[in-house]
């Protein structure tokens, strides 16, 4: 299954993981150049959660 399909389904994701997935899906061009810290801040998540997601 493709990564995008997994993100869209968000099956079994926590609410924070869903927030991160939503941000990635809504800002694909921005996410490519972001560090984990930048993505975490943008998605209102911790860097540790962002890495494990």
């Amino acid at each position: 299954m493709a990564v995008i399909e997994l993100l869209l389904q968000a099956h079994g994701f926590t609410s924070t993981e869903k927030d991160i997935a939503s941000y990635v899906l809504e800002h694909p061009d921005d996410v490519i150049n972001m560090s984990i810290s930048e993505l975490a801040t943008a998605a209102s998540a911790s860097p540790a959660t962002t890495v494990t997601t």
Side-chain angles (χ1 to χ4, degrees), residues 5-6 12 20 24 28 31 37-38 41 44 48 52-53:
E5 290 175 26
L6 290 172
I20 295 166
V24 169
V31 171
S37 295
E38 291 170 330
T41 299
S44 300
T52 60
T53 302

Side-chain angles (χ1 to χ4, degrees), residues 3-4 9 11-12 14 19 23-25 27-28 30-31 33 36-37 39 41 45 51-53:
V3 173
I4 302 257
Q9 290 179 6
H11 180 71
T14 66
D19 291 342
Y23 187 86
V24 169
L25 291 170
H27 304 92
D30 297 329
V31 171
N33 297 312
I36 292 297
S37 295
L39 176 56
T41 299
V51 168
T52 60
T53 302

